[in-house]
Amino acid sequence: MGIIWTIIIGFLAGIIAKFIMPGPNEPSGFILTTILGIVGAFVATFLGQALGWYQPGEGAGLIGAVVGAIIVLFVWGMISKRNATSL
């Protein structure tokens, strides 16, 4: 149930992160934004467990997942900006 909960939270976090951090280099598709939000939730869970904020098997909450999704969107924007200038 932990992975399913992380996916659901990541879905919501991706939508919230997109509203918090809009930009021209950000993904414009709903599916891609959702996937990046889910990845952000997994990143937040991994970092939280590594730092001792979460117990093993415990996932990140909504706020942690939103922060993780913002980090992933920021990295995505940096990579897409670099690719756009090299073309």
Side-chain angles (χ1 to χ4, degrees), residues 1-82:
M1 186 68 180
I3 292 175
I4 294 172
W5 185 248
T6 302
I7 290 171
I8 292 169
I9 293 294
F11 170 75
L12 295 173
I15 294 169
I16 293 169
K18 180 65 177 168
F19 284 117
I20 292 173
M21 193 175 155
N25 293 330
E26 302 303 326
S28 59
F30 178 74
I31 303 278
L32 186 57
T33 301
T34 302
I35 290 172
L36 290 177
I38 292 169
V39 170
F42 279 106
V43 167
T45 298
F46 174 75
L47 289 177
Q49 288 176 357
L51 294 173
W53 294 341
Y54 304 121
Q55 299 296 321
E58 183 181 14
L62 183 61
I63 295 172
V66 169
V67 171
I70 288 173
I71 292 169
V72 171
L73 285 173
F74 177 76
V75 170
W76 178 271
M78 296 301 290
I79 291 171
S80 66
K81 186 188 315 181
R82 185 172 6 146

